[in-house]
Amino acid sequence: MNPKPIEPTPSGGARSKLLEAAFSTIREKGYAATSVDELCARAGVTKGAFFHHFPSKNSLAVAATNRWSELSIALFAAAPYHRFDDPLDRVLGLPRFSQGNAAR
């Protein structure tokens, strides 16, 4: 009987939850006022899961910043103001688009 190979756990689970928790908690309270315990509680993961994915709170903050940049770049790259032919309409479309997406 051949044992079934162990499949890697998708990285979207605990890691993604921790990144989401970092986005919201650090934005609400600030980096210094946010603890690893609080991030784990908000993400619904164990402290062991935290340290499995990130060696420190600082490394989570760096990863969250990088992820936020990736999401923002993709959001703005797909923004409808790029479709305007008139350069002035494109320039004026940027702040309108930004205001509409400020809560994200």
Side-chain angles (χ1 to χ4, degrees), residues 2-22:
N2 291 334
K4 185 177 179 182
I6 298 172
E7 296 180 14
T9 305
S11 63
R15 181 178 170 77
S16 291
K17 290 176 183 179
L18 287 162
L19 290 170
E20 288 295 324

Side-chain angles (χ1 to χ4, degrees), residues 41-74:
R42 191 153 192 177
V45 302
T46 64
K47 208 167 185 178
F50 178 95
F51 287 109
H52 173 75
H53 292 287
F54 304 101
S56 66
K57 183 175 92 168
N58 186 51
S59 66
L60 170 62
V62 170
T65 302
N66 290 337
R67 181 67 181 135
W68 185 260
S69 294
E70 292 169 4
L71 293 171
S72 297
I73 288 167

